[in-house]
Amino acid sequence: MNRLHTISLSAAALALALTSCSTKQYQVASVERTRILIDSRYDNSTDPEVQKANAALLVHKKQVDAEMNPVQGYAATDLWVKRPESPLSNLLADILAWSSAKFGEQPDFAIYNVGGIRAALSKGAVTRGNILDVAPFENKICFLTLSGNDVLELFAQIAMRHGEGLSHSLRLTATADGKLVSATVNGKPVDPNAKYRVATLDYLAQGNDHMEAFRKKTDVVSPTGEENNVRFLIEQYFKAANDKGEAVSRTVEGRMTIVEK
């Protein structure tokens, strides 16, 4: 750099410093934005740096595809999620109940939070990647015991949430403004003095997602191995169905009903 450039840059730096120390207030005059379309044109670019980056990405893509593309089973219908009840939220709660046998558990019901379901499943082949989209978190299955009074409190909290994933053994009715009207477990009203075994996610067992009643839990069994992650349990369910030549399906069947006051 020659002397002239050095002097010019020094003067610019001094001017910037003086400007930054002034009390003058600046306001945004306008904001502009534009969309940059990323499509196949970038794959075909002749720019050496772009080609190098594409080659590196292709290696990783092949590794990811090999891990995520294997088919685990098949969905007989589109499985979507919505409150107060939906095919996918019903299915995931049922999968928690189904998975309980491998842990020597026989829960009275299972709860899966709708907020933890991050994608739908389309009719047809279901890959490992599809299941990861549905259940991307490191949540693991958890078993616990609640008193009948605590179960009623939990159901009231679910009513306030206008529904969560409920296993087949449950039937809840609530008003549109979130008041619990009735609840049965295996066709029987909740006994306030009884004890109920519950299958859920470790995340919910901590009282998260406004289901504070879970904090009153006792007799907790919370497996910590990676194989107990809920997405692996979902994979096992689809594989088991596929081994029997069956496609997986669920319907809306009245597990959670919203009524007028």
Side-chain angles (χ1 to χ4, degrees):
M1 181 179 294
N2 61 34
R3 178 177 175 78
L4 178 59
H5 285 167
T6 302
I7 293 173
S8 298
L9 287 175
S10 299
L14 177 61
L16 180 61
L18 291 174
T19 301
S20 64
C21 293
S22 71
T23 58
K24 187 175 182 179
Q25 300 295 314
Y26 292 91
Q27 293 182 338
V28 176
S30 65
V31 176
E32 297 181 358
R33 66 178 184 178
T34 186
R35 295 178 61 190
I36 300 176
L37 180 63
I38 306 297
D39 58 16
S40 59
R41 289 177 299 171
Y42 287 84
D43 295 332
N44 298 325
S45 173
T46 58
D47 186 302
E49 290 299 318
V50 173
Q51 290 180 337
K52 182 179 179 181
N54 283 342
L57 288 173
L58 184 60
V59 172
H60 293 295
K61 182 179 184 300
K62 289 179 178 178
Q63 294 173 342
V64 171
D65 287 348
E67 182 68 23
M68 293 293 110
N69 285 348
V71 173
Q72 307 300 300
Y74 295 84
T77 61
D78 290 338
L79 297 168
W80 42 270
V81 60
K82 183 181 179 181
R83 287 186 169 93
E85 182 186 356
S86 64
L88 187 54
S89 57
N90 285 355
L91 172 64
L92 296 183
D94 285 346
I95 288 176
L96 292 181
W98 172 85
S99 301
S100 302
K102 67 178 287 189
F103 301 95
E105 294 279 352
Q106 294 182 315
D108 297 291
F109 61 88
I111 304 292
Y112 197 114
N113 60 322
V114 167
I117 306 172
R118 293 309 177 98
L121 293 174
S122 299
K123 178 181 178 180
V126 175
T127 67
R128 179 170 292 146
N130 297 145
I131 293 173
L132 178 61
D133 290 340
V134 169
F137 306 110
E138 296 303 311
N139 295 325
K140 295 176 175 58
I141 196 168
C142 183
F143 305 96
L144 53 90
T145 297
L146 293 177
S147 71
N149 278 324
D150 295 338
V151 166
L152 288 172
E153 180 183 343
L154 173 65
F155 290 166
Q157 291 162 358
I158 290 174
M160 284 295 296
R161 300 276 290 167
H162 304 290
E164 298 289 355
L166 309 177
S167 63
H168 179 72
S169 59
L170 294 180
R171 293 294 183 273
L172 273 59
T173 304
T175 61
D177 61 348
K179 299 292 191 303
L180 182 68
V181 175
S182 64
T184 63
V185 179
N186 289 313
K188 299 179 181 179
V190 177
D191 180 352
N193 299 312
K195 298 290 186 181
Y196 292 86
R197 195 67 172 159
V198 187
T200 189
L201 307 177
D202 54 357
Y203 172 77
L204 297 183
Q206 298 166 13
N208 293 311
D209 254 10
H210 303 283
M211 287 182 256
E212 293 87 356
F214 275 131
R215 294 175 184 165
K216 300 179 181 180
K217 60 188 178 293
T218 59
D219 304 321
V220 179
V221 174
S222 187
T224 58
E226 185 179 359
E227 69 277 9
N228 306 126
N229 189 295
V230 67
R231 62 174 169 268
F232 295 122
L233 302 180
I234 298 170
E235 286 183 15
Q236 291 168 12
Y237 185 87
F238 272 87
K239 287 178 179 178
N242 194 46
D243 288 344
K244 295 187 291 185
E246 299 174 357
V248 173
S249 67
R250 282 300 184 280
T251 60
V252 173
E253 57 184 29
R255 300 185 189 189
M256 182 77 186
T257 303
I258 304 298
V259 298
E260 297 298 327
K261 291 184 180 179

